[in-house]
Amino acid sequence: MKKQIPTLLATMIGAALYSQQSFADDLMSQCMLGVPSYNRPLVSGDTNSLPVTINSDSAKGNYPNDAVFTGNVDVQQGNSRLRADEMQLHQRQQDGQTTPVRTVDALGNVHYDDNQVILKGPKAWSNLNTKDTNVWNGDYQMVGRQGRGVADQMKLRGDNRYTILENGSFTSCLPGSNSWSVVGSEVIQDRQEEVAEIWNARFKLGNVPVFYSPYLQLPIGDRRRSGFLIPNAKYGSNNGFEFMLPYYWNIAPQADATITPHYMSKRGLQLQNEFRYLTVFGAGLMELDYLPSDKQYDNDKAVRSISQDASSNRWLFYWQHAGVYEQHWRFNANYTKVSDPYYFNDLDSKYYSSTDGYATQKFSFGYADTNWDATLSTKDFQVFGTTDSTNVYRAMPQLDLNLYQNDIGPFDGRIYAQAVKFTNVNSKMPEATRLHIEPTLNLPLSNGWASLDTEAKFLATHYQQDNIERYNNNQISGIDSTGNRLDDSVNRTLPQFKVDGRLVFERNMNWEEGYTQTLEPRVQYLYIPYRNQSNIYPYDSTLLQTDYTGLFRDRTYSGLDRIASANEVSTGLTTRIYDNDLVERFNVSVGQIYSFTPSRTGVNQTSDEDDTGSLIWAGDTYWKISDRWGARGGLQYDTRLDNVAQGNAILEYRQDADRMVQLSYRYSSPEYVAQALNNSSLLTNPIYKNGISQVGATASWPIADAWSLVGGYYYDTRNSRPAEQLVGLQYSSCCYAIRLGYERKINGWENNDSKYDNQISFNIELRGLSSNYGLGTNEMLRQGIIPYQRAF
């Protein structure tokens, strides 16, 4: 059969198959009520060996060659059935054939049906041996799925694989509705390939032709096929009018691609290319976007102090890969590079946003066996600010090694070792080579209601630091002075001792039959002696968030450059409630860190005074109020900052995937933000000086039988301005869906104030070509810069 690449006209038709929206069971059920189903028992076997059953009011013939049946004639063979007012049966023995050829001519109210299609017309012919069937001047309806039409002549060929229409039409609308249709001089539906091919195609809205193509394809099933996907149009203050037309290319069973021409009236035509693959070395995705001669970027060069000679060609390359080869080798890649620092401010990307500040470029490969593993990696960054004012460290390269040996008597043993070379994107910053080894001996004891883990470590680290003269001179002159000087060569050794004990008490609750409550106290003692680390630069160390789980970490900072001394006890208490199906309905945890001596690294402390006693309180809770209501939240109080460091709360009502309302709040104090980013100057930065305090509401709800509404609103209470506003409205029917959306979001910082981008989007989708009947709620919720996350 003729195979051709689908034309642009397939955009409005073939899109529905590849929609990414969620199911809407109610709409799907309503649509399927108008679709005929096959309700006879399925028969399998060779068609020619199956018996033919004929019923009629009267019959006459010349046995065995010819017969005429009249009055309510009903012919059945296997899964096929042919009914008419009159039928003529012809049987002829062909030379050299053992089986006679049996054909039927049907006249008057002809009705043919099987488990795939229904054909109706005034006249028909059928070959009972091959199932080839012709129906003239009739209509057809697909069985078990949407799809129908009319034709001057309809043919079934290839053992019912093909339906061929002469001067025929196709639509997925239910009977009684002709909102859209495609008509052509010849239409061939291939059930095995799940595709329809149409020649001289005219796309019609109602009875009005609006588009013509000499040839097009459209999918009629869920099988992957090359073709155009759902087009998308929107208007925004940043890019003007935008139109996207994705084309899906089914390259091979292990590879496919999506190629998207993306027109922006203020910038030009961008070509987005997403390639996906699966090999023996793993699965991956590559994205290459290219926008030649960005008009708006040229206009912004003067405002952004960019040289007029700088290229206006904008591009992005992204590669993500993860895989395991022969159960031992591990390969991973996460690489992003763009043409210029303003790329993510100007152009949307699902891989990064303008708030990240840099693009990560990380590669790693490793080998893992039963008792050891090794990983060699590199980590680089493309920074979007000026490198002279940036402090971002690269690990080029880094080697990590783990050795495991369990059952050393009652102990478990482990040795962790690392070698890494640090360089900075800013050539004026210090660099270093770091060697580290960390043997650990653990004694785990546990039974059904208690556990006690005793752990001892020895941490030995060597630093060879380079390019430190400028840093040390700044300390002397008072520029960026912290009073700390770096040394060329540093050796640091630290022992660490930890004991972590847990208990689990359980009881049946009297006030609710079948409910169980647990009480889980936990106590951990941690000792790390003090070592002055002021002569070591913090290459990869940042302050870790101290939520309830973080109370029981053995590190205050990430990385290895800052290992704070500790002589402290962490205590916590958790209680959980399970229903009779062992579903957790409620939990609450509260804990604190009590320090006997100040936690120090030799660098700037949290406050001028050494702090002991109760330092940090943290708690979190989760409550599944009912099957539809849920809440969760967390709070951290830092006595050294003398304020609530962080907090968050979520209350959600969820009836199903398309009906939910969520209220949320999140908070971080400005002191905590400055401490976490290790930069007290941020307290005067207009972006960070007020911390984070945002209250938000997100909702999605079908507001009528065919209408669904999505909305999101986040308000920054500290800066007294909206952080994001989103509203989307979709109309869904069995025949088509239309979506209209509006979004206003922060897209950068300009003149010490937030810069907003306003966007209006429009989508249209033709329904019934696949099993997707989504109301579009998930798609609309995902497009926000503060994405929706379920509370339960």
Side-chain angles (χ1 to χ4, degrees):
M1 200 174 70
K2 185 177 180 182
K3 300 292 181 184
Q4 297 186 23
I5 297 176
T7 64
L8 182 65
L9 275 295
T11 300
M12 305 296 292
I13 312 296
L17 174 61
Y18 306 100
S19 172
Q20 300 295 317
Q21 298 142 8
S22 62
F23 257 60
D25 293 334
D26 293 343
L27 179 61
M28 181 175 65
S29 300
Q30 294 173 20
C31 296
M32 294 308 294
L33 288 176
V35 174
S37 60
Y38 186 78
N39 51 20
R40 299 192 300 271
L42 283 173
V43 179
S44 59
D46 180 18
T47 301
N48 294 327
S49 64
L50 297 176
V52 177
T53 303
I54 303 176
N55 295 298
S56 66
D57 293 340
S58 63
K60 61 181 181 179
N62 179 21
Y63 182 83
N65 297 323
D66 302 287
V68 178
F69 302 89
T70 57
N72 298 315
V73 184
D74 188 341
V75 179
Q76 298 186 43
Q77 184 182 31
N79 298 314
S80 301
R81 185 178 186 182
L82 181 62
R83 290 175 288 176
D85 295 338
E86 179 180 323
M87 289 191 196
Q88 300 174 5
L89 177 62
H90 309 285
Q91 183 169 280
R92 297 290 185 269
Q93 186 72 45
Q94 301 292 334
D95 294 338
Q97 299 292 327
T98 58
T99 303
V101 176
R102 294 170 292 182
T103 61
V104 172
D105 292 306
L107 300 172
N109 297 314
V110 175
H111 181 113
Y112 171 86
D113 67 89
D114 57 29
N115 58 321
Q116 295 181 327
V117 70
I118 297 173
L119 306 176
K120 297 180 181 179
K123 179 182 178 182
W125 167 89
S126 180
N127 185 318
L128 299 180
N129 297 69
T130 63
K131 301 305 176 192
D132 290 353
T133 302
N134 295 346
V135 177
W136 286 267
N137 299 319
D139 60 81
Y140 70 95
Q141 168 73 61
M142 300 174 71
V143 174
R145 65 183 315 119
Q146 291 176 236
R148 62 182 182 86
V150 298
D152 292 348
Q153 185 178 9
M154 300 174 289
K155 305 174 183 178
L156 293 182
R157 294 295 186 268
D159 198 19
N160 287 358
R161 173 178 172 176
Y162 303 109
T163 299
I164 303 172
L165 311 178
E166 302 293 343
N167 294 322
S169 68
F170 174 85
T171 180
S172 65
C173 299
L174 296 180
S177 173
N178 288 299
S179 299
W180 70 268
S181 62
V182 180
V183 298
S185 59
E186 184 177 42
V187 180
I188 300 178
Q189 299 177 22
D190 187 339
R191 295 180 183 83
Q192 181 173 315
E193 293 291 330
E194 296 185 345
V195 66
E197 297 180 299
I198 305 173
W199 281 264
N200 295 315
R202 286 93 70 198
F203 179 74
K204 302 172 69 174
L205 294 177
N207 294 320
V208 180
V210 295
F211 232 47
Y212 170 82
S213 173
Y215 172 83
L216 66 81
Q217 287 184 354
L218 63 142
I220 55 174
D222 295 325
R223 186 172 179 174
R224 286 190 345 183
R225 292 198 59 84
S226 299
F228 285 93
L229 310 185
I230 300 174
N232 182 26
K234 59 183 178 181
Y235 180 84
S237 55
N238 195 34
N239 298 329
F241 173 75
E242 300 181 58
F243 181 77
M244 288 140 282
L245 181 60
Y247 178 83
Y248 175 77
W249 182 16
N250 183 25
I251 303 171
Q254 296 81 26
D256 60 11
T258 303
I259 302 169
T260 306
H262 180 179
Y263 172 75
M264 294 167 279
S265 61
K266 289 187 176 182
R267 300 187 181 275
L269 181 64
Q270 180 190 45
L271 191 62
Q272 301 173 342
N273 307 276
E274 184 181 81
F275 171 68
R276 295 164 294 272
Y277 62 88
L278 176 64
T279 70
V280 294
F281 298 103
L285 178 149
M286 289 185 178
E287 173 87 7
L288 177 61
D289 299 344
Y290 183 73
L291 171 62
S293 303
D294 187 338
K295 297 178 291 185
Q296 186 62 41
Y297 186 64
D298 281 334
N299 298 335
D300 293 338
K301 285 181 179 179
V303 178
R304 292 171 169 174
S305 300
I306 301 173
S307 170
Q308 293 296 322
D309 296 330
S311 174
S312 298
N313 298 330
R314 319 287 298 278
W315 53 266
L316 171 146
F317 176 73
Y318 172 78
W319 181 30
Q320 184 272 328
H321 177 91
V324 178
Y325 178 66
E326 291 186 346
Q327 300 182 346
H328 294 286
W329 293 96
R330 270 72 171 161
F331 304 95
N332 290 277
N334 186 357
Y335 182 92
T336 303
K337 190 173 180 63
V338 293
S339 56
D340 57 85
Y342 294 97
Y343 186 93
F344 292 119
N345 293 87
D346 298 341
L347 302 168
D348 292 335
S349 173
K350 57 186 176 183
Y351 306 111
Y352 278 84
S353 72
S354 59
T355 60
D356 291 329
Y358 53 81
T360 303
Q361 300 167 354
K362 184 175 181 180
F363 299 94
S364 69
F365 76 92
Y367 186 89
D369 210 337
T370 305
N371 294 317
W372 68 279
D373 63 74
T375 302
L376 181 64
S377 63
T378 65
K379 190 173 186 179
D380 199 357
F381 300 93
Q382 180 185 8
V383 179
F384 301 143
T386 57
T387 56
D388 288 343
S389 60
T390 302
N391 183 16
V392 177
Y393 274 93
R394 302 171 290 214
M396 302 283 285
Q398 177 174 322
L399 176 64
D400 295 276
L401 177 66
N402 288 287
L403 301 175
Y404 307 92
Q405 183 61 57
N406 298 331
D407 302 326
I408 309 173
F411 298 97
D412 294 337
R414 177 195 174 203
I415 298 177
Y416 169 67
Q418 183 190 84
V420 57
K421 171 66 176 178
F422 287 111
T423 60
N424 201 292
V425 296
N426 184 348
S427 61
K428 301 175 182 179
M429 298 301 295
E431 299 180 354
T433 298
R434 184 178 72 195
L435 304 176
H436 177 79
I437 188 167
E438 186 178 312
T440 302
L441 198 62
N442 181 267
L443 177 62
L445 302 172
S446 64
N447 58 22
W449 52 272
S451 67
L452 181 67
D453 290 332
T454 304
E455 182 182 82
K457 290 184 179 181
F458 183 77
L459 297 85
T461 314
H462 171 74
Y463 290 85
Q464 190 64 43
Q465 301 183 110
D466 304 312
N467 198 31
I468 62 176
E469 292 80 10
R470 178 184 176 88
Y471 178 86
N472 288 337
N473 291 336
N474 287 342
Q475 306 307 304
I476 296 173
S477 63
I479 302 173
D480 297 329
S481 177
T482 61
N484 305 316
R485 289 177 55 84
L486 305 182
D487 293 333
D488 292 326
S489 181
V490 180
N491 293 313
R492 182 194 63 194
T493 57
L494 282 166
Q496 176 182 306
F497 178 74
K498 182 176 72 172
V499 180
D500 188 359
R502 311 185 196 195
L503 295 172
V504 179
F505 300 101
E506 183 179 303
R507 72 182 181 98
N508 295 324
M509 304 184 68
N510 296 326
W511 53 271
E512 189 67 43
E513 183 178 355
Y515 275 52
T516 303
Q517 181 184 13
T518 67
L519 193 66
E520 305 170 23
R522 182 177 181 183
V523 179
Q524 174 184 282
Y525 174 73
L526 175 66
Y527 176 77
I528 304 174
Y530 167 67
R531 298 289 188 271
N532 188 344
Q533 298 158 54
S534 61
N535 55 354
I536 302 172
Y537 195 82
Y539 300 100
D540 66 348
S541 290
T542 57
L543 188 68
L544 294 171
Q545 178 181 344
T546 309
D547 53 12
Y548 178 78
T549 303
L551 296 176
F552 300 93
R553 292 194 195 101
D554 56 7
R555 301 284 173 85
T556 306
Y557 296 88
S558 64
L560 296 169
D561 305 317
R562 294 289 180 264
I563 300 179
S565 64
N567 184 15
E568 64 190 31
V569 173
S570 300
T571 57
L573 184 64
T574 299
T575 184
R576 310 177 196 273
I577 296 177
Y578 298 89
D579 63 17
N580 50 10
D581 294 322
L582 297 181
V583 175
E584 188 173 7
R585 310 294 298 196
F586 174 81
N587 72 55
V588 61
S589 301
V590 179
Q592 67 154 340
I593 295 177
Y594 186 95
S595 181
F596 299 103
T597 58
S599 177
R600 297 181 296 162
T601 62
V603 194
N604 289 346
Q605 305 301 310
T606 306
S607 63
D608 295 332
E609 299 180 358
D610 289 338
D611 289 299
T612 59
S614 182
L615 299 183
I616 299 174
W617 285 84
D620 57 48
T621 185
Y622 164 75
W623 185 14
K624 190 174 183 180
I625 306 169
S626 68
D627 291 339
R628 294 185 177 182
W629 283 93
R632 67 170 64 246
L635 191 70
Q636 297 103 53
Y637 181 82
D638 194 325
T639 61
R640 296 164 297 183
L641 300 176
D642 196 26
N643 62 30
V644 175
Q646 283 191 307
N648 64 85
I650 297 176
L651 175 66
E652 180 173 327
Y653 173 84
R654 167 174 287 273
Q655 183 172 328
D656 53 40
D658 298 303
R659 296 169 174 84
M660 75 86 191
V661 178
Q662 183 186 93
L663 304 177
S664 63
Y665 177 75
R666 61 175 184 160
Y667 170 84
S668 293
S669 70
E671 295 82 6
Y672 174 81
V673 173
Q675 184 189 42
L677 297 178
N678 195 30
N679 189 349
S680 59
S681 66
L682 294 178
L683 292 173
T684 60
N685 188 304
I687 302 177
Y688 300 103
K689 67 178 182 179
N690 292 325
I692 299 172
S693 179
Q694 291 182 349
V695 60
T698 304
S700 69
W701 206 269
I703 55 177
D705 288 342
W707 293 87
S708 60
L709 180 68
V710 164
Y713 184 85
Y714 292 88
Y715 185 79
D716 189 335
T717 62
R718 287 291 182 92
N719 296 306
S720 302
R721 69 188 67 196
E724 182 183 20
Q725 302 164 65
L726 169 71
V727 63
L729 181 66
Q730 176 161 317
Y731 173 80
S732 301
S733 71
C734 301
C735 197
Y736 61 90
I738 297 176
R739 184 193 310 152
L740 182 66
Y742 169 77
E743 183 179 14
R744 184 174 188 260
K745 61 184 179 182
I746 295 177
N747 189 37
W749 194 261
E750 193 173 84
N751 299 325
N752 291 329
D753 201 358
S754 300
K755 179 183 177 182
Y756 288 91
D757 183 25
N758 299 284
Q759 291 186 350
I760 298 175
S761 59
F762 176 79
N763 295 77
I764 186 169
E765 175 188 350
L766 303 181
R767 291 292 178 85
L769 302 177
S770 72
S771 56
N772 171 63
Y773 292 85
L775 297 180
T777 55
N778 287 345
E779 179 76 12
M780 290 185 280
L781 287 173
R782 279 198 301 267
Q783 68 187 47
I785 61 172
I786 305 177
Y788 161 73
Q789 294 180 336
R790 290 183 57 167
F792 65 97

